[in-house]
Amino acid sequence: MTDGDSVEDLPARLLAAARAREGAMRRRLAELVAKESPSGDAALLDRLAADLAGGLEAAGAKVEQVPGVHGDHLVARLDGPPDAPPDGGHLLLLAHHDTVWPAGSLAELPYREHPDGTATGAGVFDMKGSLVVLETALALLADLAVPRARPLVALILSDEEVGSPDGGRLVAEHLDGACAALGLEPPHPDGGLKTARRGSTRVRLEVTGREAHAGLDAAHGISAIDELTDQLLRLRHRIGARPGNAVNVGRISGGTRANVIAGRAEAELGLRFTEADAEREALRLLATLPPYREGARIRTRVLSRRPAWQPGRDRALLDHVRRIGARLGLRLGGAPAGGAGDTNWPGAAGVPTLDGFGPPGGGAHARGEHIHLDGLAPRAALLAAVLALPPPPR
């Protein structure tokens, strides 16, 4: 940033430059949506990762494609200014390129722009619009020769939508020394930023019973389905009844035929927690579930886990971003979010954290997923300005 730049004039310069790029941003968004990237499809995810790496490198980043269990992750690095304080730490940006939409979804949900100023398409809101914002923000700083206030590490993970079971290690590796963390997830419906997130744990319950003829020998059978059903009711009562908690049975399977007592059954659960102690209590319960039926065996597998990021009293980072946003004509609020994301980790670790820097819209994970196209340029300018103007010291 030059001597003449300040909090007052730099955001306006960035916004003007972003406005000049609106057409290119929309074309780039169409390109990214057209490249399907469902969680777990490593070939499609790696194709998109290579494309994104090229875009970030064009903006001056040094990008590493890190092999992952579910597809390549990206680690993009940019240096800070030469006069940056040696102990100032780095800014950590968190994003992802996987979506919930299976391959082939574009046949029904292609990228489309509409007269009301929205754009729809599989993954457009969560979070390919955000990836365009990230690329553009870095390009704006490069084009205007505006240095970043701190060194920058941007992580784009390939498995966020399934809980980042592999990508979470990269977040943990880059937390040390981070002065702040910014998430590129979509904002609240009013465009506000996210200041906390519920913890989220995915669990698989596996129940083993004993098969028997349902009519001739039922007394010798142990129904895994009945046992699983009773366990789910127990969990709904013990975990779900606590304020701030939620239990969602997302998938269930078991048994073979109607005339056979089911010997096996399983369910995949999504658990959410507002408070860290509630999460610890639930995990202890899941690890020690007693069976209702003698001979039934229960195994609990934790598939992924993000700790609760609880609201904090320190609003310095939020106030800093709100002041910058005001120079862009954005009235940014801040409130906790019900969903979990990769910002749970830095937030729970005490790193000053904000999420929701993606463009406004709605309908995440639904057929009505959309973004407001007029939000692309302001969000890119906002992110660029936050990267250029020093965050408050910790």
Side-chain angles (χ1 to χ4, degrees):
M1 186 166 58
T2 65
D3 291 340
D5 287 323
S6 67
V7 174
E8 286 72 25
D9 59 13
L10 179 61
R13 289 179 58 212
L14 290 167
L15 181 58
R19 292 286 191 205
R21 285 176 165 265
E22 283 184 323
M25 294 178 76
R26 288 159 66 169
R27 290 191 294 274
R28 181 59 169 156
L29 180 58
E31 291 174 0
L32 295 185
V33 173
K35 292 189 174 180
E36 293 183 299
S37 53
S39 302
D41 192 324
L44 290 178
L45 285 161
D46 292 352
R47 180 184 68 157
L48 180 56
D51 186 331
L52 292 169
L56 294 171
E57 288 168 347
K62 297 176 182 178
V63 184
E64 178 185 5
Q65 270 185 247
V66 180
V69 175
H70 304 282
D72 288 352
H73 312 291
L74 296 180
V75 181
R77 294 182 173 87
L78 295 103
D79 296 332
D83 59 349
D87 58 349
H90 62 275
L91 281 170
L92 180 63
L93 296 187
L94 297 173
H96 65 88
H97 63 293
D98 64 321
T99 75
V100 300
W101 300 100
S105 296
L106 287 179
E108 295 185 45
L109 299 171
Y111 179 82
R112 288 196 178 100
E113 296 184 3
H114 304 278
D116 64 355
T118 63
T120 55
V124 70
F125 180 57
D126 190 10
M127 62 180 321
K128 293 185 175 178
S130 302
L131 297 174
V132 173
V133 164
L134 173 59
E135 283 187 359
T136 305
L138 298 182
L140 292 174
L141 296 178
D143 289 352
L144 298 180
V146 177
R148 292 159 297 280
R150 295 283 187 273
L152 172 67
V153 177
L155 305 181
I156 302 177
L157 304 186
S158 64
D159 57 354
E160 190 278 340
E161 294 293 4
V162 292
S164 302
D166 181 67
R169 64 185 168 86
L170 290 180
V171 181
E173 287 174 13
H174 292 90
L175 280 183
D176 187 32
C179 65
L182 308 178
L184 273 293
E185 290 287 350
H188 286 297
D190 64 356
L193 299 170
K194 299 176 177 179
T195 59
R197 285 185 174 279
R198 285 198 290 181
S200 175
T201 302
R202 288 191 310 123
V203 174
R204 181 183 299 142
L205 283 187
E206 301 172 349
V207 179
T208 302
R210 185 168 60 235
E211 292 182 343
H213 193 291
L216 300 178
D217 206 19
H220 288 86
I222 302 172
S223 173
I225 289 178
D226 288 351
E227 179 67 28
L228 177 62
T229 300
D230 289 341
Q231 294 292 344
L232 293 176
L233 291 172
R234 167 187 276 162
L235 295 175
R236 188 172 298 279
H237 173 72
R238 293 280 300 277
I239 297 176
R242 178 166 175 165
N245 289 3
V247 177
N248 178 59
V249 182
R251 186 183 64 81
I252 192 166
S253 63
T256 55
R257 298 175 180 274
N259 60 352
V260 178
I261 301 293
R264 304 185 70 85
E266 67 174 45
E268 189 169 318
L269 314 180
L271 311 177
R272 298 186 185 273
F273 313 94
T274 300
E275 300 176 358
D277 62 341
E279 180 182 19
R280 288 190 290 268
E281 178 183 314
L283 291 175
R284 283 196 297 269
L285 172 64
L286 286 162
T288 57
L289 284 174
Y292 285 95
R293 290 159 183 79
E294 185 177 355
R297 298 193 305 276
I298 302 166
R299 182 176 182 180
T300 302
R301 295 177 182 264
V302 176
L303 304 177
S304 66
R305 174 181 171 267
R306 294 189 179 108
W309 163 26
Q310 296 178 264
R313 295 181 180 179
D314 186 357
R315 294 173 54 90
L317 180 59
L318 174 62
D319 291 342
H320 174 66
V321 174
R322 291 182 68 185
R323 285 192 295 270
I324 293 173
R327 305 306 304 175
L328 298 167
L330 300 174
R331 300 181 63 182
L332 297 173
D342 290 332
T343 46
N344 280 65
W345 281 301
V351 175
T353 302
L354 280 179
D355 207 341
F357 280 85
H365 300 185
R367 293 180 62 84
E369 182 176 6
H370 65 277
I371 66 165
H372 299 294
L373 290 167
D374 63 1
L376 287 170
R379 300 307 266 214
L382 174 67
L383 181 60
V386 172
L387 299 181
L389 298 168
R394 294 183 62 177

